[in-house]
Amino acid sequence: MTRIPLFLLLALALCLPLWADDIQPLAPDDYYDFQFIQDPQLAGDGGRIAFVRAQVNEERRGRDSAIWTVAADGSSPAESFTSGDSDRHPRFSPGGSELAFLRPIDGDTQIHRMPIDGGEARPATTIRQGRIAGFTWLPDGQRMVLTLSIDPAVDDPTEAEEDNDEPSADVKIYSRQLYRTEAAGWLDERRNTLWLLELESGELTRLTADSEWNYNNPAVSPDGRLLAFNADRSGSEYDGGHNQDIYLLDLDSGEDRKLPTPDGRATSPVFSPDGQQIAFSYQSDRYRPTELHLISIDGEAHEVLHDGQDLSVAEAMWPEGYDRPLIRADYRGSHPLMRLHDDGSTEILIGEGAVLNGLSFADDGRTLAFLMESETRLAEVHLAGNDSFEPRRLTEFNDELLSSRHLGELDRFSFEVEDNKVVDGFLLRPKGFEADQPWSLVLNIRGGPAGMWGHRWFHEFQMMAGAGYAVLFTNYRGSTGYGFDFQSAVYQDYGGVDYRDNIQALDEALQRFDWIDVDRLYLTGGSHGGFLTNWITTQTDRFRAAVTQRSVSNWVSEAGTQAYVPAMMNAEFGGTIWENYDYYWGRSPLKYADQVRTPTLIIHSTDDQITPIGQGQEWFYALINNDVETELAVFEGEGHGLSRAGTPVNLVKRLELILDWFERHHPRE
């Protein structure tokens, strides 16, 4: 036997780290090890942050969540605050001596209170009917405003529902246009109502006497005297109405009054620090710009702060020390915090090249806590001061896992389309990329058409890159973040500008990145992206395989079976089916299914209320009938949100199916 000298063995051992690649591709089942950080809340004195940490449970069929805290100065690592497995919605009391949060007890979610320096959590409510949708402390620390989703016929939510031994039919009867939603399924009589909770006695008092309406987005004035909220008391909320008004309720007298906001949809009131003004979101009509308005609490002064033309305001907040609200908005692939100037222009303060969520300011407005994520990092808790707005990361729950995985950054490029509009494309290079060899590419089309992709965490993209695929996507016309004219260009043109922009993005990428193999192109998308996946395969056979997810194949049947009210489809398609049938059918992929040649995997869910399962079934029927290689993957009990919030084991299986379909249609050497 040949002996290897010891010095050679040592040399080989020293060189091994140079040869071994310990950076692994991100795999579908890595999802089970992710830790999801949510809902950061900064204590009023700015010294501590509470947040929710969620992770997949051992059965992989749910997610456990608990409240954690971290010192704002970073002097100590984050630590667990509660021991429950379904704790959420942490809120510091005024003064910060205790933390309130939601926790289920025997199937009913209750508010709990716990001293901030530790101790036992004790329930503050005994709700037996309805569901707590949220709560807000009053400044006195002795009361809370609760939002309860409850049947209007219930007078006392703390009393258990009476047992009825008589058999009853399992039937719901509807006469209104809105009868189901993706979140709630088939609707019942419940409405969102507002209640005042006296913490010492536990007494609940209904604040909104007429429970026919939904009362949403309650905001308490800084002095604790007034409660602002939005509601539609016109009677049209469940019949396609788009109206919402801002109301002010005096918490002492119980009287409310409507503020004279313009006709249309006024929502999400936010008090100024002095309590004399309210900022609110406003739309004059469906599919019009989302504006930011200001009104005095006496209703005498009204001002448009932002007209919604260059960006769509997602959230307004008004911390102490600012004469105008700060806003969050989609902006060219980022979701930053912005300052509004007097002329309506905006300035990015923090978050360019990233996505910010869950902003929470200290009482003095000088510091803020928030979540920040990017294409290479899951959301973690950050802190910044308003002197420089430099983010400082305070948690690192996912660092150990992600440091051992290949994660690529996006290449962004822009191209011009008709009407002199500029569209952004984003490309993620594959693991092991070398420019001198050809690489496969997946065109991944986002849903919407409103919304935006960009610098946020998408497990799916990094997984595909880890499997050796370049990933391309574009914020096609119809996306938010590029101005209202850009966003509205797609209305009454589905399968038009949205289709052309995605194909042009592909052509631009092929021209700019000559390492992309034109013979190894793949296609996928969900929701509106699923519709476009179907549509594209009726127009071209340049893709080796396609995966269409929660898609639309037939706009005629979609119009009558989706959860949205008829007025929405009528606006999107320029009339009813009977008034504009040629457009509904002419932009339905089903009409052209006999032109499809691309092997297609169809992924759909049984409980999808946005694009019901029949859309996937019709597409499967059409492709089978036209001898196209196809498979139908049906996820039982899942809805439209499978890809983001589905049952973990199903969410992971969906990712595995996508990769498997592409691999099965990958050319062999």
Side-chain angles (χ1 to χ4, degrees), residues 149-324:
S149 177
I150 194 169
D151 188 323
V154 175
D155 293 322
D156 186 356
T158 65
E159 291 185 355
E161 187 175 1
E162 293 184 6
D163 291 330
N164 187 352
D165 295 332
E166 292 294 323
S168 59
D170 300 319
V171 61
K172 294 178 180 178
I173 299 173
Y174 299 98
S175 61
R176 313 287 290 273
Q177 293 184 28
L178 180 63
Y179 57 91
R180 62 184 174 133
T181 66
E182 177 66 20
W186 298 90
L187 299 180
D188 54 25
E189 296 301 320
R190 284 179 293 181
R191 300 289 187 270
N192 285 341
T193 59
L194 302 178
W195 300 70
L196 185 67
L197 171 66
E198 298 282 350
L199 288 170
E200 184 174 352
S201 66
E203 181 182 359
L204 273 173
T205 304
R206 191 194 298 267
L207 293 173
T208 47
D210 190 340
S211 297
E212 170 65 18
W213 328 114
N214 287 295
Y215 297 90
N216 293 310
N217 302 309
V220 179
S221 63
D223 62 6
R225 185 174 60 87
L226 298 174
L227 182 70
F229 56 87
N230 58 266
D232 178 8
R233 290 176 172 172
S234 70
S236 65
E237 182 177 7
Y238 286 81
D239 284 314
H242 195 62
N243 176 75
Q244 288 282 317
D245 295 302
I246 304 293
Y247 291 84
L248 279 181
L249 183 144
D250 188 302
L251 287 169
D252 291 328
S253 69
E255 298 293 323
D256 68 48
R257 57 187 171 88
K258 183 169 77 72
L259 290 177
T261 56
D263 291 341
R265 189 174 185 84
T267 63
S268 307
V270 177
F271 280 99
S272 61
D274 64 5
Q276 297 305 300
Q277 301 177 92
I278 290 176
F280 62 94
S281 176
Y282 173 74
Q283 269 189 308
S284 61
D285 202 352
R286 192 174 273 116
Y287 304 122
R288 296 300 303 159
T290 300
E291 306 171 10
L292 185 65
H293 286 212
L294 185 67
I295 193 169
S296 59
I297 60 172
D298 60 13
E300 294 183 0
H302 174 256
E303 178 184 356
V304 178
L305 297 178
H306 192 275
D307 63 9
Q309 290 296 328
D310 63 336
L311 53 81
S312 184
V313 176
E315 180 188 14
M317 60 218 76
W318 205 335
E320 183 70 40
Y322 293 86
D323 59 0
R324 283 175 176 261

Side-chain angles (χ1 to χ4, degrees), residues 28 463-464 467 469 655-664:
M463 174 201 73
M464 291 176 177
Y469 299 89
L655 295 173
E656 293 173 344
L657 289 173
I658 294 171
L659 281 184
D660 177 68
W661 188 257
F662 289 160
E663 180 62 24
R664 285 161 57 186

Side-chain angles (χ1 to χ4, degrees), residues 60-115:
R60 297 181 174 180
R61 304 202 68 86
R63 298 167 182 84
D64 293 340
S65 62
I67 310 298
W68 284 57
T69 64
V70 65
D73 62 6
S75 58
S76 58
E79 58 184 3
S80 176
F81 184 75
T82 67
S83 58
D85 59 11
S86 298
D87 298 340
R88 58 185 178 86
H89 198 77
R91 295 295 183 268
F92 283 100
S93 63
S97 63
E98 60 181 342
L99 194 68
F101 57 92
L102 295 178
R103 169 184 286 178
I105 299 179
D106 298 328
D108 293 312
T109 297
Q110 309 293 348
I111 297 174
H112 286 66
R113 300 164 64 190
M114 186 169 170

Side-chain angles (χ1 to χ4, degrees), residues 221-531:
S221 63
D223 62 6
R225 185 174 60 87
L226 298 174
L227 182 70
F229 56 87
N230 58 266
D232 178 8
R233 290 176 172 172
S234 70
S236 65
E237 182 177 7
Y238 286 81
D239 284 314
H242 195 62
N243 176 75
Q244 288 282 317
D245 295 302
I246 304 293
Y247 291 84
L248 279 181
L249 183 144
D250 188 302
L251 287 169
D252 291 328
S253 69
E255 298 293 323
D256 68 48
R257 57 187 171 88
K258 183 169 77 72
L259 290 177
T261 56
D263 291 341
R265 189 174 185 84
T267 63
S268 307
V270 177
F271 280 99
S272 61
D274 64 5
Q276 297 305 300
Q277 301 177 92
I278 290 176
F280 62 94
S281 176
Y282 173 74
Q283 269 189 308
S284 61
D285 202 352
R286 192 174 273 116
Y287 304 122
R288 296 300 303 159
T290 300
E291 306 171 10
L292 185 65
H293 286 212
L294 185 67
I295 193 169
S296 59
I297 60 172
D298 60 13
E300 294 183 0
H302 174 256
E303 178 184 356
V304 178
L305 297 178
H306 192 275
D307 63 9
Q309 290 296 328
D310 63 336
L311 53 81
S312 184
V313 176
E315 180 188 14
M317 60 218 76
W318 205 335
E320 183 70 40
Y322 293 86
D323 59 0
R324 283 175 176 261
L326 303 178
I327 63 171
R328 284 190 311 117
D330 286 344
Y331 182 73
R332 296 180 65 85
S334 301
H335 196 74
L337 175 67
M338 297 179 169
R339 188 198 308 274
L340 272 176
H341 295 297
D342 291 344
D343 62 358
S345 62
T346 57
E347 170 194 358
I348 294 179
L349 297 176
I350 187 172
E352 189 165 15
V355 168
L356 302 188
N357 279 302
L359 277 74
S360 176
F361 282 84
D363 288 346
D364 61 8
R366 298 177 65 181
T367 54
L368 67 151
F370 54 94
L371 298 178
M372 185 160 67
E373 65 180 280
S374 69
E375 65 264 35
T376 60
R377 189 179 300 281
L378 279 88
E380 299 279 2
V381 178
H382 290 68
L383 191 82
N386 69 355
D387 50 352
S388 64
F389 286 101
E390 286 294 325
R392 178 162 51 88
R393 189 156 67 101
L394 297 178
T395 63
E396 48 189 32
F397 285 98
N398 293 286
D399 282 20
E400 182 177 356
L401 172 63
L402 296 185
S403 65
S404 66
R405 299 296 188 267
H406 169 80
L407 301 172
E409 295 184 352
L410 293 169
D411 288 330
R412 174 175 156 182
F413 61 93
S414 300
F415 54 94
E416 188 172 305
V417 296
E418 65 257 38
D419 300 330
N420 297 317
K421 289 184 172 61
V422 176
V423 176
D424 282 342
F426 298 82
L427 184 129
L428 186 63
R429 296 169 190 260
K431 181 182 186 298
F433 171 76
E434 294 179 2
D436 61 353
Q437 65 182 73
W439 294 88
S440 303
L441 178 137
V442 176
L443 173 60
N444 200 325
I445 306 177
R446 63 168 193 80
M452 180 196 72
W453 277 354
H455 300 289
R456 69 165 61 241
W457 175 259
F458 275 118
H459 179 192
E460 182 175 320
F461 293 170
Q462 298 290 355
M463 174 201 73
M464 291 176 177
Y469 299 89
V471 181
L472 172 69
F473 66 87
T474 181
N475 288 324
Y476 54 84
R477 278 173 288 177
S479 305
T480 51
Y482 298 84
F484 178 72
D485 287 345
F486 188 97
Q487 180 182 345
S488 61
V490 75
Y491 292 131
Q492 300 181 26
D493 194 22
Y494 290 173
V497 298
D498 45 1
Y499 160 71
R500 295 195 296 275
D501 288 358
N502 275 279
I503 294 301
Q504 188 170 339
L506 176 60
D507 292 337
E508 290 281 342
L510 291 171
Q511 182 177 349
R512 293 166 185 261
F513 309 105
D514 60 5
W515 45 264
I516 299 173
D517 189 343
V518 70
D519 293 322
R520 291 189 289 169
L521 302 177
Y522 300 85
L523 177 65
T524 190
S527 196
H528 193 79
F531 155 70

